[in-house]
Amino acid sequence: MNDQTPTASSPAPAEASVPFSVADANWERVSPRLTTARRIVVALCVVPVIAAAVVVWLGGWIQGYSGGWCALVVGTAVAVYSWLHWMFGRRTRSWGYLERSDELFVVRGFLFRRLSVVPYGRMQMVDVKAGPVDRALGINTVQLHTAAATSDAGIPGLPPEVATSLRDRLAALGEQRQVGL
Amino acid sequence: MSVPSAPGLLEVGRRYRLHPATPLIHAAPVLPITGLVLFLSPALSFVQGLWLTIATAVVMAVGLTMIVGGLAYWSWTRFEFWLDEVGDLRVDSGILTRNLKKLQLSRLQSVQVVQPFIARIFGFATVTIEVAGIGDSRAALAYVKRDRAYAIRDQVIAISSGGTFVSYGATSSATDPTDAPSEHTLCKVPPGRLLGSLVLRSSTMALLILTVALIVFSYLRGGWQELFLVPITGGLPILIVVGEFIALFSFLVARSPNGVRVTYGMLQTQTQNVPPGRVHAIEFVQSFLWRKPGWVRVKMTVAGSASQQGDSNFGAVLLPVAPWPEAVALVRQLMPGIDESLGNLRGVGDSVRWRAPLQKGYLGVGLGESYFTARRGWITRRIVVVPHARVQSVRVGQGPWSRSLGLANVWVDVVPGPIEAVAPYRSQSEAQELAARELGLSVAARRIDRSTRWQSGQRAPDSDGDSDSEV
């Protein structure tokens, strides 16, 4: 490791380091219902595929064809679903957010881990949104927008009252500290 | 009704029209094109004899041209623009559907003067003005006299940057505005170097090598089936090189009272003004074969320009090719304090050998007083510079491969544009520390930043609840 210090010493950063994993800090977590919601969406895609394969196989069986490839389709669909089923559980547990004095921290992902930090003064808009499955399960997504398209800090799986109050807090902080581009 | 033909300022409250020749410029190209198409196409095959065919084609082309001209004239009579009392630009247009626009100049993103080929012959130009906002937040004044176009641009920039309604007059008498004395030339790209750089670019080289390989391969095999690909692999790079050569021909960067001005183009001349406060990121790009001559291309991300990529693909190019010291000297005009050493970048640890062995020695990051600087790249090398004051957010990311080596990437997010600012493959603890430092630096930097209103001398809105924010 090259230990050259950069040209200027930083003018008093708030923290020496940012937390990166859910173990590092006292993160706010998202609702486990997020897992259910994601699993339902995938199931809605997988079940028709399995059903169609079974129908084709039954039809072939009655007429005396062998339908080995149908078993392959069903097997693949089940395998993909099982993997996603497990992954959504892990992924939900990897989400966390943290409201610090100057910035919002959002951490997520377990295969590909990401941390997004958005200073309140850079927020241009905060949305709350929910799709039909999310609405049925009572979870919302809070989406932050900055002038950069890549900031990418949304928090899914929040109960509606948590989502609305978070949005209001963030919007108020954003307005108060708005610094333009 | 005034005709904006003389160079000069727009008077507040007075309504202006586009130049009366506008309908003619719109209609003029229709005549030869339709005439030729009608003559060559089988549409007139019912007419007997050459002369009769020509006569019919001419009559029909003239008719069509008159229809187009009439519509253009009608829309000309319905197009008005003026400066209102609060210093905003108003544009009313539309024949059937009226479109009344109010462009708030304090939110100006860009002003461009474009001279399309035909308009340029007769000394006309288009002024395109874009302000921050959602949807249709731009207006094109096509056409006005070239001098008028430059005057409008200067006035609009002056108003937007908090200055007074002063014309900089640099363009009033000179035939070529770029030769005007008050503009100090910073960089010129000689045609030879431009052509050389385009030919030596990795993409061109790859296609040319592929072409040669195809010819050799089919010769050795004795069959010639592969040769049908040769016009594609050989022709494509020629097309790209020639196209870009024409588009970026006689590239000139000059300092103007309004920031840095970029002018380029062989057939269609583009003039783009780059206000210093609107540059959110700079990138030096070096293709593999540019290392020997030491050339780099300089790209930039300018706020609000992502939406206008449609009419100029080269809006992101600050300098197509220049030797490294010259490029750095130019960037210093927009980002004071940048020097060739880039302020001692920090390299990466040994474990990067297992992740990115070929760029390991080149990777680097530096958090200077005012800038985030990162270096990366294997075949094509890139150096990105982002002012701390322009950082919108910070991200740290890690995939499975990097995690097994304890590495992570640090991104600083800037407004949409061609530049990705990332410091790849830092050790994880260092990445966390870099992100924290960058956040501290960016908060501190934008508190004192006033580059977006660099002419007014007033303080930029600070973080203590000042509502005079720009976006």
Side-chain angles (χ1 to χ4, degrees):
Chain A
M1 180 63 62
N2 186 351
D3 254 339
Q4 268 174 330
T5 42
T7 47
S9 61
S10 50
E15 317 276 335
S17 170
V18 295
F20 186 48
S21 89
V22 279
D24 284 353
N26 211 0
W27 299 86
E28 298 287 330
R29 313 304 290 272
V30 305
S31 162
R33 290 198 295 272
L34 178 63
T35 314
T36 321
R38 296 282 195 264
R39 284 174 184 168
I40 288 174
V41 171
V42 175
L44 287 176
C45 302
V46 169
V47 167
V49 172
I50 294 177
V54 168
V55 166
V56 170
W57 176 73
L58 276 177
W61 181 67
I62 289 164
Q63 302 200 354
Y65 303 122
S66 85
W69 60 272
C70 291
L72 197 70
V73 169
V74 172
T76 314
V78 168
V80 167
Y81 178 79
S82 317
W83 186 73
L84 288 173
H85 183 94
W86 169 79
M87 196 193 69
F88 286 138
R90 290 290 304 271
R91 213 199 245 170
T92 297
R93 271 171 283 153
S94 74
W95 279 97
Y97 65 97
L98 204 55
E99 293 167 72
R100 291 262 172 97
S101 55
D102 290 321
E103 299 104 358
L104 179 77
F105 288 68
V106 182
V107 74
R108 70 172 186 281
F110 75 101
L111 270 181
F112 292 86
R113 280 205 294 184
R114 285 276 180 280
L115 164 76
S116 296
V117 191
V118 181
Y120 297 133
R122 290 305 197 191
M123 288 188 302
Q124 306 218 316
M125 200 166 62
V126 189
D127 284 345
V128 175
K129 55 185 186 188
V133 177
D134 288 4
R135 264 204 310 277
L137 287 165
I139 51 173
N140 289 347
T141 299
V142 171
Q143 186 67 49
L144 269 70
H145 300 272
T146 70
T150 47
S151 290
D152 195 22
I155 312 167
L158 300 174
E161 61 285 356
V162 177
T164 348
S165 72
L166 179 64
R167 189 229 8 230
D168 294 345
R169 262 198 320 279
L170 292 176
L173 280 166
E175 215 160 281
Q176 196 187 327
R177 306 196 183 184
Q178 181 75 52
V179 288
L181 282 180
Chain B
M1 194 50 60
S2 88
V3 172
S5 55
L9 297 172
L10 302 179
E11 288 168 35
V12 174
R14 182 163 160 201
R15 290 172 169 246
Y16 293 90
R17 281 205 173 156
L18 299 170
H19 195 277
T22 300
L24 289 178
I25 302 172
H26 281 301
V30 177
L31 186 65
I33 293 170
T34 48
L36 206 63
V37 167
L38 282 171
F39 179 67
L40 295 177
S41 73
L44 295 178
S45 54
F46 63 91
V47 186
Q48 302 294 316
L50 179 68
W51 287 108
L52 205 56
T53 309
I54 292 176
T56 318
V58 166
V59 168
M60 287 175 77
V62 167
L64 200 66
T65 309
M66 284 174 71
I67 293 171
V68 172
L71 284 172
Y73 175 76
W74 194 8
S75 85
W76 176 77
T77 61
R78 307 282 279 160
F79 193 107
E80 284 183 324
F81 62 98
W82 71 98
L83 278 174
D84 66 10
E85 290 68 28
V86 292
D88 291 343
L89 185 74
R90 309 284 288 263
V91 181
D92 288 2
S93 62
I95 299 177
L96 296 177
T97 315
R98 292 291 282 165
N99 188 352
L100 315 178
K101 275 186 205 164
K102 180 183 164 84
L103 300 173
Q104 197 184 325
L105 293 186
S106 61
R107 296 160 65 103
L108 182 74
Q109 297 284 19
S110 68
V111 197
Q112 257 187 312
V113 174
V114 183
Q115 298 178 53
F117 185 56
I118 290 185
R120 189 178 165 201
I121 295 172
F122 299 105
F124 293 100
T126 305
V127 190
T128 310
I129 296 155
E130 182 164 1
V131 299
I134 297 155
D136 194 13
S137 55
R138 59 188 303 201
L141 308 178
Y143 296 93
V144 291
K145 274 283 194 193
R146 186 164 49 206
D147 292 344
R148 186 77 196 219
Y150 288 118
I152 292 173
R153 180 195 56 196
D154 288 346
Q155 195 177 4
V156 159
I157 291 170
I159 295 169
S160 76
S161 56
T164 43
F165 289 27
V166 187
S167 171
Y168 293 97
T171 56
S172 53
S173 56
T175 45
D176 183 355
T178 51
D179 289 341
S182 80
E183 300 214 343
H184 170 61
T185 300
L186 296 169
C187 275
K188 254 184 176 157
V189 180
R193 192 204 290 161
L194 178 62
L195 192 61
S197 76
L198 295 172
V199 170
L200 290 178
R201 204 157 55 174
S202 304
S203 56
T204 317
M205 277 303 170
L207 284 168
L208 289 180
I209 290 168
L210 188 68
T211 309
V212 173
L214 274 174
I215 293 172
V216 170
F217 180 71
S218 45
Y219 174 77
L220 291 179
R221 253 187 40 149
W224 298 97
Q225 291 94 328
E226 289 81 12
L227 285 188
F228 78 95
L229 279 171
V230 167
I232 302 171
T233 59
L236 197 64
I238 292 171
L239 272 181
I240 295 172
V241 166
V242 170
E244 202 158 320
F245 182 72
I246 289 173
L248 296 176
F249 187 75
S250 77
F251 204 98
L252 183 125
V253 190
R255 187 167 43 216
S256 77
N258 303 322
V260 167
R261 181 167 300 166
V262 177
T263 312
Y264 55 93
M266 188 187 279
L267 300 178
Q268 163 169 314
T269 309
Q270 296 259 4
T271 307
Q272 196 186 359
N273 203 77
V274 186
R278 292 287 180 208
V279 180
H280 284 230
I282 287 277
E283 185 175 53
F284 300 96
V285 189
Q286 185 172 51
S287 283
F288 186 74
L289 290 173
W290 293 12
R291 287 184 202 176
K292 187 92 176 110
W295 289 336
V296 291
R297 172 172 283 205
V298 186
K299 288 188 185 179
M300 60 185 169
T301 290
V302 179
S305 63
S307 56
Q308 65 178 32
Q309 292 297 315
D311 53 64
S312 113
N313 296 314
F314 301 105
V317 177
L318 177 60
L319 191 58
V321 57
W324 168 243
E326 205 178 302
V328 173
L330 172 63
V331 169
R332 202 180 297 131
Q333 298 290 324
L334 293 166
M335 297 185 169
I338 296 285
D339 61 19
E340 286 172 47
S341 76
L342 298 169
N344 289 328
L345 301 188
R346 210 191 311 180
V348 291
D350 281 338
S351 56
V352 176
R353 175 165 76 229
W354 306 109
R355 183 69 182 80
L358 291 170
Q359 55 176 321
K360 179 179 171 290
Y362 189 67
L363 289 168
V365 66
L367 265 55
E369 206 168 341
S370 317
Y371 304 102
F372 168 94
T373 312
R375 210 165 52 181
R376 69 175 199 274
W378 156 41
I379 292 178
T380 299
R381 292 179 160 178
R382 296 164 192 280
I383 298 171
V384 178
V385 182
V386 180
H388 293 313
R390 297 281 167 270
V391 172
Q392 306 292 323
S393 62
V394 176
R395 281 178 298 146
V396 182
Q398 180 183 63
W401 187 1
S402 286
R403 178 153 65 247
S404 66
L405 299 165
L407 303 174
N409 299 351
V410 180
W411 283 268
V412 300
D413 296 314
V414 291
V415 297
I419 299 174
E420 184 191 14
V422 56
Y425 313 132
R426 316 307 305 183
S427 81
Q428 193 186 316
S429 57
E430 189 200 2
Q432 291 172 261
E433 177 235 307
L434 280 171
R437 280 239 315 278
E438 180 57 48
L439 286 164
L441 286 165
S442 73
V443 168
R446 65 182 178 260
R447 241 174 229 145
I448 57 169
D449 176 61
R450 40 167 295 236
S451 53
T452 51
R453 292 183 77 77
W454 77 101
Q455 286 188 10
S456 68
Q458 75 189 47
R459 266 175 63 84
D462 57 22
S463 56
D464 301 324
D466 191 327
S467 60
D468 183 26
S469 56
E470 272 156 46
V471 168

